[in-house]
Amino acid sequence: MSIVFSRIRAFHAVAEHGGFTAASRVLNVGQPTLTIQVKELEESYGVELLIRKSRTVELTKTGAALFEITRGIMKFCDEAHELLDAHGQSTKGHLRLATVGPFHATEILAAFNRDHPGVQISTLLGNSERTLRHITDFEAEVAILAEVPDDPRVVMIPYRTHRVVVFVNGDHPWFHRKSVKLHELADQRFVLRERGSTTRRAFEAAIQREGLTINPVFEIESREGVWKAVERGLGISVVADFEFVPHPNLRALEIQGRAIKTQYSVAYHKDRAHSPIIKAFIDTVSQMKAGFAKVSAKQPRRGT
């Protein structure tokens, strides 16, 4: 039995938008037509996909599983449109970038936008674990992340490597120091990002390898929250060196004895390697990496 695409499209729209009325507006198809198409899909396989309520719908267990599949199907349809639309023309479409922070994202997107001004761009910000899920769930075309386990569904391209540093406020006894030894950190109060944070994962792994423990007294999901907490004297924290912004009341300190590094990568779903927009983005990243290599070859480097 072959699946009728219009029925799959109708189901996906209803599931995505939470009801037949909203789906009909998005697809510009009459609500009775959508109702018939979804009902025919259910009857042809003898399954229940949606629980109809007065104004909304609820996915059954089977419906939720099918929705996970149709999300990928619809993305591939969008890419087919982009491929055909872009043939013989400049790259067009919508690029969604999931990223763990703004620094690398803005430098790459600025270069990408210069080469492909016709592409609409939006970003999703979160820790590395959430950023990886945006790729595996087809919610973003590309991602910038770090320190995540290998996933067979995802292609990872190494981009930049950075050192992790400690930072303290002006009232801390270490404020006038330039560095600190790793074992000294065990007695400190720490303000840290959530557990999925790139820098936190790299730092805690290094601490564990040395057989040390630290005292995290505050856990805050935002970078700004961590910085403000350290500035107010609630504890000290860690950050990738490139993310530290000079501040009159904050000082970054090198960690002696063990170089703690974070490897940032650009990622995309391997099933979407044919996407013209993804290919264009990876081309931009490759050109930037080549530029970094030339600069690094001419001068001593602090972090790659």
Side-chain angles (χ1 to χ4, degrees), residues 25-41:
R25 287 196 295 265
V26 172
L27 294 181
N28 196 26
V29 174
Q31 185 173 333
T33 300
L34 291 183
T35 302
I36 292 171
Q37 289 173 338
V38 174
K39 185 177 180 181
E40 288 175 343
L41 179 61

PDB file of all heavy atoms in Angstrom, residues 25-41:
ATOM      1  N   ARG A  25      -5.636  27.183   7.330  1.00  0.00           N
ATOM      2  CA  ARG A  25      -5.149  28.528   6.981  1.00  0.00           C
ATOM      3  C   ARG A  25      -3.723  28.456   6.434  1.00  0.00           C
ATOM      4  O   ARG A  25      -3.383  29.162   5.480  1.00  0.00           O
ATOM      5  CB  ARG A  25      -5.203  29.439   8.204  1.00  0.00           C
ATOM      6  CG  ARG A  25      -6.593  29.872   8.598  1.00  0.00           C
ATOM      7  CD  ARG A  25      -6.540  31.063   9.541  1.00  0.00           C
ATOM      8  NE  ARG A  25      -5.923  30.705  10.808  1.00  0.00           N
ATOM      9  CZ  ARG A  25      -6.604  30.347  11.888  1.00  0.00           C
ATOM     10  NH1 ARG A  25      -7.929  30.291  11.848  1.00  0.00           N
ATOM     11  NH2 ARG A  25      -5.967  30.042  13.009  1.00  0.00           N
ATOM     12  N   VAL A  26      -2.888  27.620   7.051  1.00  0.00           N
ATOM     13  CA  VAL A  26      -1.495  27.511   6.618  1.00  0.00           C
ATOM     14  C   VAL A  26      -1.402  26.892   5.228  1.00  0.00           C
ATOM     15  O   VAL A  26      -0.644  27.360   4.367  1.00  0.00           O
ATOM     16  CB  VAL A  26      -0.683  26.669   7.632  1.00  0.00           C
ATOM     17  CG1 VAL A  26       0.710  26.385   7.090  1.00  0.00           C
ATOM     18  CG2 VAL A  26      -0.595  27.392   8.964  1.00  0.00           C
ATOM     19  N   LEU A  27      -2.159  25.835   4.987  1.00  0.00           N
ATOM     20  CA  LEU A  27      -2.088  25.136   3.697  1.00  0.00           C
ATOM     21  C   LEU A  27      -2.979  25.773   2.636  1.00  0.00           C
ATOM     22  O   LEU A  27      -2.882  25.410   1.460  1.00  0.00           O
ATOM     23  CB  LEU A  27      -2.493  23.668   3.871  1.00  0.00           C
ATOM     24  CG  LEU A  27      -1.570  22.784   4.723  1.00  0.00           C
ATOM     25  CD1 LEU A  27      -2.109  21.357   4.776  1.00  0.00           C
ATOM     26  CD2 LEU A  27      -0.147  22.790   4.174  1.00  0.00           C
ATOM     27  N   ASN A  28      -3.853  26.702   3.077  1.00  0.00           N
ATOM     28  CA  ASN A  28      -4.810  27.316   2.154  1.00  0.00           C
ATOM     29  C   ASN A  28      -5.694  26.244   1.515  1.00  0.00           C
ATOM     30  O   ASN A  28      -5.970  26.255   0.304  1.00  0.00           O
ATOM     31  CB  ASN A  28      -4.085  28.128   1.074  1.00  0.00           C
ATOM     32  CG  ASN A  28      -5.037  29.078   0.342  1.00  0.00           C
ATOM     33  OD1 ASN A  28      -6.066  29.490   0.897  1.00  0.00           O
ATOM     34  ND2 ASN A  28      -4.709  29.401  -0.903  1.00  0.00           N
ATOM     35  N   VAL A  29      -6.111  25.305   2.347  1.00  0.00           N
ATOM     36  CA  VAL A  29      -6.995  24.212   1.931  1.00  0.00           C
ATOM     37  C   VAL A  29      -8.199  24.226   2.853  1.00  0.00           C
ATOM     38  O   VAL A  29      -8.068  24.499   4.058  1.00  0.00           O
ATOM     39  CB  VAL A  29      -6.271  22.847   2.029  1.00  0.00           C
ATOM     40  CG1 VAL A  29      -7.233  21.703   1.732  1.00  0.00           C
ATOM     41  CG2 VAL A  29      -5.092  22.800   1.080  1.00  0.00           C
ATOM     42  N   GLY A  30      -9.379  23.949   2.331  1.00  0.00           N
ATOM     43  CA  GLY A  30     -10.582  23.963   3.142  1.00  0.00           C
ATOM     44  C   GLY A  30     -10.518  22.967   4.294  1.00  0.00           C
ATOM     45  O   GLY A  30      -9.979  21.868   4.161  1.00  0.00           O
ATOM     46  N   GLN A  31     -11.068  23.368   5.446  1.00  0.00           N
ATOM     47  CA  GLN A  31     -11.038  22.495   6.616  1.00  0.00           C
ATOM     48  C   GLN A  31     -11.731  21.152   6.355  1.00  0.00           C
ATOM     49  O   GLN A  31     -11.214  20.108   6.780  1.00  0.00           O
ATOM     50  CB  GLN A  31     -11.687  23.210   7.808  1.00  0.00           C
ATOM     51  CG  GLN A  31     -11.604  22.417   9.107  1.00  0.00           C
ATOM     52  CD  GLN A  31     -12.095  23.217  10.293  1.00  0.00           C
ATOM     53  OE1 GLN A  31     -12.036  24.451  10.294  1.00  0.00           O
ATOM     54  NE2 GLN A  31     -12.594  22.534  11.303  1.00  0.00           N
ATOM     55  N   PRO A  32     -12.866  21.115   5.665  1.00  0.00           N
ATOM     56  CA  PRO A  32     -13.495  19.812   5.395  1.00  0.00           C
ATOM     57  C   PRO A  32     -12.578  18.879   4.582  1.00  0.00           C
ATOM     58  O   PRO A  32     -12.566  17.669   4.813  1.00  0.00           O
ATOM     59  CB  PRO A  32     -14.750  20.184   4.595  1.00  0.00           C
ATOM     60  CG  PRO A  32     -15.056  21.587   5.024  1.00  0.00           C
ATOM     61  CD  PRO A  32     -13.725  22.232   5.214  1.00  0.00           C
ATOM     62  N   THR A  33     -11.803  19.463   3.671  1.00  0.00           N
ATOM     63  CA  THR A  33     -10.881  18.644   2.871  1.00  0.00           C
ATOM     64  C   THR A  33      -9.810  18.024   3.758  1.00  0.00           C
ATOM     65  O   THR A  33      -9.498  16.830   3.621  1.00  0.00           O
ATOM     66  CB  THR A  33     -10.213  19.507   1.786  1.00  0.00           C
ATOM     67  OG1 THR A  33     -11.227  20.047   0.928  1.00  0.00           O
ATOM     68  CG2 THR A  33      -9.244  18.675   0.948  1.00  0.00           C
ATOM     69  N   LEU A  34      -9.254  18.813   4.662  1.00  0.00           N
ATOM     70  CA  LEU A  34      -8.246  18.281   5.569  1.00  0.00           C
ATOM     71  C   LEU A  34      -8.828  17.196   6.461  1.00  0.00           C
ATOM     72  O   LEU A  34      -8.184  16.174   6.725  1.00  0.00           O
ATOM     73  CB  LEU A  34      -7.665  19.403   6.442  1.00  0.00           C
ATOM     74  CG  LEU A  34      -6.802  20.452   5.758  1.00  0.00           C
ATOM     75  CD1 LEU A  34      -6.255  21.422   6.795  1.00  0.00           C
ATOM     76  CD2 LEU A  34      -5.647  19.803   5.013  1.00  0.00           C
ATOM     77  N   THR A  35     -10.027  17.412   6.939  1.00  0.00           N
ATOM     78  CA  THR A  35     -10.680  16.424   7.806  1.00  0.00           C
ATOM     79  C   THR A  35     -10.827  15.097   7.074  1.00  0.00           C
ATOM     80  O   THR A  35     -10.540  14.019   7.624  1.00  0.00           O
ATOM     81  CB  THR A  35     -12.057  16.932   8.252  1.00  0.00           C
ATOM     82  OG1 THR A  35     -11.892  18.180   8.945  1.00  0.00           O
ATOM     83  CG2 THR A  35     -12.729  15.925   9.167  1.00  0.00           C
ATOM     84  N   ILE A  36     -11.246  15.167   5.827  1.00  0.00           N
ATOM     85  CA  ILE A  36     -11.418  13.952   5.022  1.00  0.00           C
ATOM     86  C   ILE A  36     -10.068  13.267   4.781  1.00  0.00           C
ATOM     87  O   ILE A  36      -9.951  12.040   4.893  1.00  0.00           O
ATOM     88  CB  ILE A  36     -12.101  14.298   3.680  1.00  0.00           C
ATOM     89  CG1 ILE A  36     -13.555  14.742   3.924  1.00  0.00           C
ATOM     90  CG2 ILE A  36     -12.059  13.102   2.729  1.00  0.00           C
ATOM     91  CD1 ILE A  36     -14.239  15.295   2.698  1.00  0.00           C
ATOM     92  N   GLN A  37      -9.039  14.049   4.451  1.00  0.00           N
ATOM     93  CA  GLN A  37      -7.727  13.466   4.152  1.00  0.00           C
ATOM     94  C   GLN A  37      -7.136  12.743   5.359  1.00  0.00           C
ATOM     95  O   GLN A  37      -6.584  11.644   5.234  1.00  0.00           O
ATOM     96  CB  GLN A  37      -6.776  14.563   3.665  1.00  0.00           C
ATOM     97  CG  GLN A  37      -7.119  15.081   2.282  1.00  0.00           C
ATOM     98  CD  GLN A  37      -6.274  16.273   1.880  1.00  0.00           C
ATOM     99  OE1 GLN A  37      -5.721  16.977   2.720  1.00  0.00           O
ATOM    100  NE2 GLN A  37      -6.167  16.504   0.576  1.00  0.00           N
ATOM    101  N   VAL A  38      -7.237  13.360   6.544  1.00  0.00           N
ATOM    102  CA  VAL A  38      -6.707  12.710   7.746  1.00  0.00           C
ATOM    103  C   VAL A  38      -7.530  11.467   8.077  1.00  0.00           C
ATOM    104  O   VAL A  38      -6.971  10.425   8.453  1.00  0.00           O
ATOM    105  CB  VAL A  38      -6.700  13.688   8.937  1.00  0.00           C
ATOM    106  CG1 VAL A  38      -6.292  12.965  10.219  1.00  0.00           C
ATOM    107  CG2 VAL A  38      -5.748  14.848   8.666  1.00  0.00           C
ATOM    108  N   LYS A  39      -8.827  11.556   7.945  1.00  0.00           N
ATOM    109  CA  LYS A  39      -9.683  10.401   8.221  1.00  0.00           C
ATOM    110  C   LYS A  39      -9.377   9.256   7.272  1.00  0.00           C
ATOM    111  O   LYS A  39      -9.319   8.088   7.684  1.00  0.00           O
ATOM    112  CB  LYS A  39     -11.159  10.809   8.095  1.00  0.00           C
ATOM    113  CG  LYS A  39     -12.126   9.693   8.473  1.00  0.00           C
ATOM    114  CD  LYS A  39     -13.566  10.170   8.394  1.00  0.00           C
ATOM    115  CE  LYS A  39     -14.527   9.041   8.783  1.00  0.00           C
ATOM    116  NZ  LYS A  39     -15.951   9.477   8.698  1.00  0.00           N
ATOM    117  N   GLU A  40      -9.146   9.564   5.988  1.00  0.00           N
ATOM    118  CA  GLU A  40      -8.793   8.519   5.020  1.00  0.00           C
ATOM    119  C   GLU A  40      -7.461   7.861   5.364  1.00  0.00           C
ATOM    120  O   GLU A  40      -7.294   6.652   5.194  1.00  0.00           O
ATOM    121  CB  GLU A  40      -8.733   9.122   3.612  1.00  0.00           C
ATOM    122  CG  GLU A  40     -10.106   9.481   3.051  1.00  0.00           C
ATOM    123  CD  GLU A  40     -10.010  10.189   1.701  1.00  0.00           C
ATOM    124  OE1 GLU A  40      -8.920  10.690   1.356  1.00  0.00           O
ATOM    125  OE2 GLU A  40     -11.038  10.246   0.995  1.00  0.00           O
ATOM    126  N   LEU A  41      -6.505   8.656   5.858  1.00  0.00           N
ATOM    127  CA  LEU A  41      -5.215   8.099   6.262  1.00  0.00           C
ATOM    128  C   LEU A  41      -5.389   7.137   7.432  1.00  0.00           C
ATOM    129  O   LEU A  41      -4.810   6.041   7.441  1.00  0.00           O
ATOM    130  CB  LEU A  41      -4.260   9.240   6.661  1.00  0.00           C
ATOM    131  CG  LEU A  41      -2.856   8.828   7.126  1.00  0.00           C
ATOM    132  CD1 LEU A  41      -2.106   8.095   6.017  1.00  0.00           C
ATOM    133  CD2 LEU A  41      -2.065  10.048   7.595  1.00  0.00           C
TER     134      LEU A  41
END
